[in-house]
Amino acid sequence: MKNILHILRAERRLSQDDLAKLVDVSRQTINAIEREKYDPSLSLALKIAKVFDKKVEEIFFLEKEK
């Protein structure tokens, strides 16, 4: 699953650790999500979306087929 999490974090000047604390996960979890090595659970995706005042599908999306 693709995401724009790193862009949103940069716009808000949040570190991975800052965001991790806001959504109650480890910094490593945020790093793995941003590197697209880990897909967040629905509840975590909703928490992240709330932090950025966005819809989940504005942050996370499936890669378009070629």
Side-chain angles (χ1 to χ4, degrees), residues 16-47:
Q16 287 181 344
D17 193 53
D18 294 334
L19 179 57
K21 288 176 182 170
L22 289 171
V23 297
D24 197 30
V25 297
S26 69
R27 182 203 56 79
Q28 291 86 348
T29 298
I30 299 300
N31 181 269
I33 293 169
E34 287 186 2
R35 292 178 37 231
E36 299 169 357
K37 301 292 183 188
Y38 173 75
D39 291 337
S41 66
L42 178 57
S43 63
L44 178 53
L46 288 166
K47 287 178 186 178

